[in-house]
């Protein structure tokens, strides 16, 4: 009986030691898994806590991104990427744009589309087609009147607006760019002057004959990827000042 008791005691001790060994073996693994899960949770929380930011660009074929090689190379997308990277927002891009459009024919009549989008930031890029001497034409005086009227419709508290000058129309751009700057000064709205991207430059627009993401062929007028990138960087300087 004494021998049997010793055997039982030794068996109990062996089981106890085995449990300790097994427990010690699995604790590091569980701890590691918990650490990984904790890191993933922190990353998800960080992502979720990024403030949502709605960006609504208004404009014509430039805003659409015509002649960029990819849609995410157009200036509105590059600008959105800069806002996310440098200001820490999560940007949703909406907007209102149409090739060949003007302020008075397309922008102003559809101001309610922008208001319904409830954007944090609006960029307004019109004038390039308004100055054309065809059925889209309006004088600098008419352009100024309509730009002020549109701002009356969309300018709201806590909504940021940036005006963008015209693109690549040579001397014809000057009177309209002047109007844009005057309106910006009157309404205390920053102006992104993109004239340095196209004046006396050949590297920021064209070449012609390249298929675009929109199924059309590029020309020598619209900005290329480099042009879109520079436009975005100029606008971002104004955005950065607004959201310091």
């Amino acid at each position: 009986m004494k021998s049997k008791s010793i055997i039982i005691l030794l068996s109990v001790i062996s089981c106890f030691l085995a449990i300790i060994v097994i427990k010690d073996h699995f604790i590091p693994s569980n701890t590691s898994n918990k650490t990984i899960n904790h890191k993933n949770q922190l990353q998800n929380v960080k992502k979720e806590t990024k403030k949502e930011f709605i960006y609504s660009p208004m404009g014509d074929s430039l805003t659409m991104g015509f002649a960029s090689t990819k849609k995410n190379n157009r200036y509105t997308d590059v600008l959105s990427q800069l806002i996310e990277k440098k200001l820490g927002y999560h940007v949703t891009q909406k907007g209102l744009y149409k090739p060949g459009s003007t302020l008075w024919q397309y922008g102003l009549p559809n101001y309610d589309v922008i208001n319904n989008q409830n954007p944090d930031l609006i960029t307004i890029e019109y004038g390039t087609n308004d100055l054309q001497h065809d059925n889209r034409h309006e004088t600098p005086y008419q352009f100024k009147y309509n730009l002020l009227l549109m701002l009356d419709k969309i300018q709201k508290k806590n909504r940021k607006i940036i005006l963008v000058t015209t693109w690549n129309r040579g001397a014809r751009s000057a009177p309209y760019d002047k109007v844009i700057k005057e309106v910006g000064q009157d309404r205390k709205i920053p102006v992104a002057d993109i004239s340095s991207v196209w004046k006396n430059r050949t590297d920021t627009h064209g070449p012609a004959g390249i298929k675009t993401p929109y199924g059309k062929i590029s020309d020598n007028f619209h900005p290329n990827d480099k042009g879109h990138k520079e436009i975005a960087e100029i606008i971002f300087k104004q955005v950065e000042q607004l959201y310091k």
Side-chain angles (χ1 to χ4, degrees):
M1 286 294 293
K2 186 174 181 181
S3 175
K4 188 176 181 180
S5 298
I6 291 171
I7 292 170
I8 292 172
L9 179 61
L10 289 173
S11 297
V12 170
I13 292 171
S14 297
C15 289
F16 180 73
L17 291 173
I19 289 169
I20 291 173
V21 169
I22 292 170
K23 186 177 179 182
D24 287 343
H25 177 73
F26 283 104
I27 280 177
S29 177
N30 288 339
T31 303
S32 177
N33 288 337
K34 286 179 181 178
T35 302
I36 292 169
N37 289 335
H38 183 61
K39 286 180 179 178
N40 289 337
Q41 287 172 4
L42 287 175
Q43 289 173 352
N44 290 335
V45 168
K46 189 176 180 180
K47 186 177 180 180
E48 289 169 5
T49 53
K50 276 190 174 182
K51 185 180 177 183
E52 293 296 321
F53 187 100
I54 298 175
Y55 168 39
S56 294
M58 300 180 71
D60 49 38
S61 54
L62 262 74
T63 301
M64 183 193 76
F66 184 80
S68 59
T69 57
K70 297 178 183 178
K71 286 185 179 180
N72 62 0
N73 285 342
R74 61 181 179 168
Y75 81 80
T76 60
D77 283 61
V78 177
L79 177 61
S80 296
Q81 294 159 21
L82 287 170
I83 292 170
E84 289 194 337
K85 181 180 178 180
K86 297 193 175 185
L87 299 181
Y89 290 97
H90 180 266
V91 179
T92 299
Q93 189 178 154
K94 297 184 179 181
L96 176 75
Y97 40 87
K98 181 182 177 182
S101 65
T102 64
L103 171 63
W104 72 277
Q105 286 179 326
Y106 190 68
L108 184 56
N110 293 297
Y111 74 88
D112 57 327
V113 173
I114 292 296
N115 282 336
N116 289 336
Q117 292 174 0
N118 195 28
D120 299 286
L121 173 68
I122 302 170
T123 54
I124 300 175
E125 178 265 313
Y126 285 114
T128 301
N129 295 311
D130 302 72
L131 61 78
Q132 291 287 79
H133 290 288
D134 53 24
N135 63 344
R136 298 171 294 178
H137 181 73
E138 59 180 343
T139 66
Y141 174 82
Q142 291 169 324
F143 180 71
K144 183 175 185 177
Y145 176 84
N146 287 325
L147 183 54
L148 288 167
L149 185 57
M150 188 171 71
L151 289 172
D152 287 339
K153 303 288 187 181
I154 65 173
Q155 200 169 7
K156 297 182 183 298
K157 187 179 179 181
N158 298 325
R159 179 180 289 177
K160 310 299 185 184
I161 298 175
I162 296 173
L163 303 178
V164 183
T165 57
T166 61
W167 173 260
N168 201 13
R169 293 295 191 195
R172 288 181 295 162
S173 285
Y176 294 81
D177 288 349
K178 182 181 178 184
V179 163
I180 292 168
K181 291 174 182 178
E182 287 173 353
V183 170
Q185 187 173 11
D186 292 344
R187 292 297 181 91
K188 294 181 172 53
I189 295 173
V191 176
D193 186 347
I194 63 171
S195 60
S196 63
V197 185
W198 59 266
K199 277 187 177 178
N200 303 314
R201 302 275 300 268
T202 58
D203 60 324
T204 53
H205 51 91
I210 297 174
K211 190 174 180 180
T212 72
Y214 307 95
K216 298 184 179 180
I217 304 301
S218 68
D219 52 32
N220 282 318
F221 172 76
H222 288 86
N224 52 30
D225 288 350
K226 183 177 182 179
H228 277 284
K229 181 176 181 292
E230 289 190 25
I231 291 170
E233 289 170 345
I234 289 172
I235 297 174
F236 180 72
K237 287 179 182 178
Q238 301 299 333
V239 175
E240 200 170 27
Q241 292 296 316
L242 292 173
Y243 288 91
K244 269 187 174 181

